[in-house]
Amino acid sequence: MIVGIDDTDSRRGMCTTYLCAYLVDALRNRNYNHGEVSVSTPWLVRLNPSIPYKTRGNGAVAFEITTTTARTRLEDVKELVKSTVSKFSELDDANTNPGVVFIEDEPRSNLRVSQLKSYYERAVRTVLTQKDALAIIAESGFDYFGLKNKRGIIGALAAAAFVILQRYYRYDFTYELMAYRAKERWGTPRRIDEHSVWEADAATYPLTWDTVDVANRRIVFAPHSPCPVLFGIRGDSVDAIYKAYKIIDSEPVERIMLFITNQGTDFHLITHGTGQKLLDYHSYILDGVVESNPCTLVGGHVLFKLSLPTLSTRVDCIAYEPTKGFRNIIRKLRHGDEVRVFGSFKRGTLNLEKIELKSLNKEELRNPRCEQCGRSMESAGRGQGYRCKHCNTKREAKEVVTINRAIEEGLYEVPPVARRHISKPLIRMCATKGGGGGEGESVIIHPSR
Ligand SMILES: [Zn+2]
């Protein structure tokens, strides 16, 4: 049986991953007469990061239970899940609406599997409703449970679907090891020895990533909310993650739990097709030409206009202030640069997560130089060409000169301090080609850490 859970936490407390870790431990430790119940490594599934009504990271969880005996045991498991969700959820918060989905008979027909695939992809890339989830639950005969308005079933079904889909489609995935705080410490400042965190990062990067932000001298693997999470170590190697964990010196940990996750995969990004309309709360990969030189807005945000030839339209691309040094790359763009942008779209604006500088415009039109004295010529008046006022020589038009650019072509990204859970750090792209768009050419990568 696969169990998917979502929307148990609020900004004030709890964390759906903690509830999951608690349940997984409880199920593993329960005496089911000779251990005929086994529980998988749980999954942490990040859903559409741009959705307006999310809690912190918009993450749902799932785990799989295998039994060798009768179905009645699964009824026990379901009861434990329901009572734990009821007990732990932040039900006082108006925006917390827990949902649980139980998949006992895994769908195997092509139709049902592709239906789940479409559902999962839409959960990460678009905006789904409870109706969408309930339709699949009813057609496939799944069991579910919810509290209050039960909106959590949307994410719970997506997380459970991800577990099944991994068997068929082998979606990209990474790991995160979560460490949780003792309950009496929830809401108090976290005690983590910073030096040990830098040491852990140095010993395991790039097999672990987004533990620290070197350029901004910040530790980024621990939240600042009153939730039960002490920290989370993300990476591609389980061994490296545990190695980092052993180096870190912190307050006592209540429990740890390793999750398999779609974090760090860029699965939210939609490669845009010709003629499609850009939709709010969707994230895209778009090819275009820089139309205006970048400008810095009040608050330090940097904006440029990008024209999208295949859509015959343009968007405003913004690197917000929290993206820190990434803005220095954006400031160096020039009209005429060909770029590929990656980010979420809302009300005509694309919030930049990555950018690929494909072809820099190195041509500049300048007033011609006088062939006799070498001075810059001046306009002789509208439509009259250019003239040297010292030698009286004339030229018809401006000349094209090649200029040096202070940046290199290639892929750039926001720093770890501003990175979304689901965004793929460039360091993970080192082995791949095509810059996410898949054209097959090799791209220079400028990872930010
Ligand atoms: Zn001259």
Side-chain angles (χ1 to χ4, degrees):
M1 178 170 72
I2 296 162
V3 182
I5 306 172
D6 193 21
D7 206 8
T8 67
D9 51 9
S10 76
R11 284 172 200 280
R12 292 197 303 266
M14 196 28 64
C15 173
T16 302
T17 73
Y18 176 77
L19 194 151
C20 178
Y22 176 92
L23 266 174
V24 168
D25 281 340
L27 288 165
R28 283 176 180 163
N29 295 333
R30 238 182 188 201
N31 183 5
Y32 282 104
N33 300 332
H34 317 298
E36 70 258 35
V37 171
S38 72
V39 188
S40 71
T41 300
W43 280 261
L44 165 57
V45 178
R46 298 288 175 184
L47 307 172
N48 186 349
S50 326
I51 266 181
Y53 48 76
K54 56 172 180 182
T55 47
R56 290 178 303 271
N58 205 12
V61 297
F63 56 88
E64 189 176 10
I65 291 192
T66 336
T67 59
T68 50
T69 50
R71 191 157 273 228
T72 48
R73 292 270 175 257
L74 290 181
E75 292 306 315
D76 290 352
V77 172
K78 284 187 188 176
E79 285 313 310
L80 179 69
V81 172
K82 289 179 192 175
S83 63
T84 307
V85 168
S86 306
K87 189 173 119 192
F88 280 50
S89 294
E90 287 276 307
L91 297 173
D92 294 341
D93 191 296
N95 292 315
T96 302
N97 296 285
V100 182
V101 171
F102 301 101
I103 301 183
E104 283 175 65
D105 294 311
E106 202 174 301
R108 296 189 194 277
S109 76
N110 288 342
L111 176 70
R112 292 278 177 253
V113 172
S114 66
Q115 197 179 33
L116 281 184
K117 178 175 189 274
S118 155
Y119 180 85
Y120 167 69
E121 294 185 0
R122 285 187 296 145
V124 183
R125 293 174 179 166
T126 72
V127 184
L128 288 176
T129 64
Q130 244 161 288
K131 239 172 126 182
D132 297 311
L134 286 170
I136 292 185
I137 285 170
E139 281 177 45
S140 306
F142 302 154
D143 190 10
Y144 75 100
F145 166 78
L147 294 166
K148 293 164 67 186
N149 79 19
K150 307 184 173 111
R151 198 182 53 219
I153 60 166
I154 301 171
L157 178 60
F162 185 72
V163 177
I164 294 168
L165 296 169
Q166 280 300 62
R167 312 201 217 286
Y168 295 87
Y169 300 101
R170 298 184 179 279
Y171 288 127
D172 187 18
F173 65 92
T174 64
Y175 300 96
E176 179 162 3
L177 180 70
M178 300 284 222
Y180 298 101
R181 318 183 68 195
K183 193 169 183 194
E184 61 272 17
R185 291 176 189 267
W186 296 1
T188 66
R190 289 166 175 77
R191 193 195 68 74
I192 304 170
D193 177 58
E194 294 208 359
H195 178 77
S196 72
V197 179
W198 289 94
E199 202 184 313
D201 175 77
T204 57
Y205 181 87
L207 293 174
T208 66
W209 28 261
D210 288 2
T211 302
V212 297
D213 185 318
V214 175
N216 295 299
R217 296 192 193 88
R218 282 263 301 274
I219 283 170
V220 296
F221 82 149
H224 298 282
S225 59
C227 79
V229 176
L230 180 60
F231 57 75
I233 305 171
R234 288 159 279 211
D236 281 280
S237 153
V238 174
D239 289 345
I241 287 172
Y242 278 102
K243 183 179 172 186
Y245 177 69
K246 284 189 191 114
I247 296 171
I248 291 162
D249 175 25
S250 73
E251 66 183 51
V253 162
E254 185 210 64
R255 71 182 76 231
I256 57 172
M257 186 60 64
L258 182 75
F259 288 85
I260 300 170
T261 169
N262 65 350
Q263 289 175 169
T265 64
D266 268 352
F267 200 77
H268 62 311
L269 298 173
I270 301 164
T271 304
H272 200 268
T274 308
Q276 273 174 281
K277 200 172 172 281
L278 297 174
L279 301 170
D280 283 355
Y281 310 121
H282 290 52
S283 302
Y284 294 104
I285 300 175
L286 300 170
D287 287 324
V289 180
V290 176
E291 198 177 271
S292 67
N293 289 340
C295 60
T296 300
L297 309 174
V298 176
H301 318 302
V302 179
L303 177 143
F304 66 90
K305 281 195 189 301
L306 183 71
S307 79
L308 302 167
T310 58
L311 289 165
S312 341
T313 185
R314 61 172 70 85
V315 291
D316 286 341
C317 295
I318 297 195
Y320 286 100
E321 190 282 330
T323 65
K324 303 295 173 191
F326 179 67
R327 294 172 301 160
N328 295 335
I329 305 300
I330 303 305
R331 283 193 187 99
K332 288 175 188 150
L333 293 174
R334 255 186 105 223
H335 67 89
D337 286 345
E338 290 173 30
V339 300
R340 173 174 291 172
V341 294
F342 306 68
S344 60
F345 180 80
K346 195 166 78 180
R347 290 192 283 276
T349 299
L350 190 104
N351 177 359
L352 290 168
E353 295 169 15
K354 288 187 180 72
I355 189 165
E356 181 184 343
L357 312 187
K358 292 164 77 82
S359 174
L360 295 172
N361 173 19
K362 290 179 181 164
E363 290 189 344
E364 193 165 85
L365 285 174
R366 276 195 196 151
N367 286 6
R369 299 215 167 252
C370 169
E371 279 162 10
Q372 287 182 30
C373 71
R375 287 187 177 94
S376 181
M377 296 167 101
E378 285 170 16
S379 173
R382 206 177 164 82
Q384 309 272 304
Y386 296 84
R387 193 183 64 195
C388 175
K389 54 181 182 181
H390 298 272
C391 315
N392 215 21
T393 50
K394 285 191 173 174
R395 290 276 292 276
E396 286 293 308
K398 287 196 175 194
E399 58 188 22
V400 177
V401 292
T402 302
I403 54 164
N404 284 323
R405 297 292 300 273
I407 37 171
E408 263 182 42
E409 286 163 358
L411 265 165
Y412 295 83
E413 64 184 347
V414 302
V417 72
R419 186 139 47 226
R420 289 182 146 153
H421 295 292
I422 200 164
S423 289
K424 184 172 181 171
L426 289 182
I427 193 71
R428 292 198 70 227
M429 283 189 185
C430 282
T432 56
K433 290 185 170 183
E439 274 160 49
E441 83 274 33
S442 65
V443 178
I444 302 164
I445 285 166
H446 305 269
S448 172
R449 73 173 294 223

